[in-house]
Amino acid sequence: MNKDLLQVELLDRVQHSIEENICSYEIEEIEDIFNENDGEVQRCITFNRGTKNDCMIISPDGLFRAAVGDDLSPELVMGVANTLIRYAKYQH
């Protein structure tokens, strides 16, 4: 299997886990980006709650790469972080 396709498949699994566990935010946009420095496909997920948009970039192995927003919600960051930890725990 192509390395990029495998990374996208892993990102789909991570995203599904996030969708299952984060219920107080709506996923507004999803974009896969290629990070040349790391040589991997990463996923930018934009979350929406009311008038706020927060964006998080996740790697195929379930790690945070970045989180940005006008007023980044600690609740969202903690929820996604806990989901990523659970995801990593059950993948091994």
Side-chain angles (χ1 to χ4, degrees):
M1 178 181 274
N2 180 320
K3 179 182 172 185
D4 292 345
L5 290 176
L6 176 60
Q7 290 176 348
V8 169
E9 183 178 316
L10 291 170
L11 286 165
D12 288 343
R13 292 179 190 174
V14 172
Q15 178 185 329
H16 179 72
S17 183
I18 290 171
E19 289 172 340
E20 291 289 313
N21 291 291
I22 305 297
C23 57
S24 57
Y25 286 81
E26 177 182 11
I27 293 180
E28 186 168 280
E29 186 177 346
I30 298 163
E31 180 181 0
D32 288 345
I33 53 178
F34 185 76
N35 183 320
E36 292 180 10
N37 294 333
D38 295 327
E40 68 182 7
V41 177
Q42 298 176 349
R43 182 155 297 169
C44 178
I45 304 173
T46 302
F47 296 89
N48 175 276
R49 184 175 184 183
T51 60
K52 290 180 56 176
N53 286 329
D54 297 318
C55 176
M56 297 194 186
I57 299 175
I58 309 294
S59 68
D61 53 359
L63 297 176
F64 264 124
R65 293 298 182 190
V68 292
D70 294 334
D71 186 19
L72 198 58
S73 167
E75 173 189 89
L76 176 61
V77 173
M78 186 63 86
V80 172
N82 286 338
T83 298
L84 294 176
I85 290 167
R86 279 193 300 271
Y87 175 81
K89 178 180 177 183
Y90 293 113
Q91 294 306 306
H92 300 315

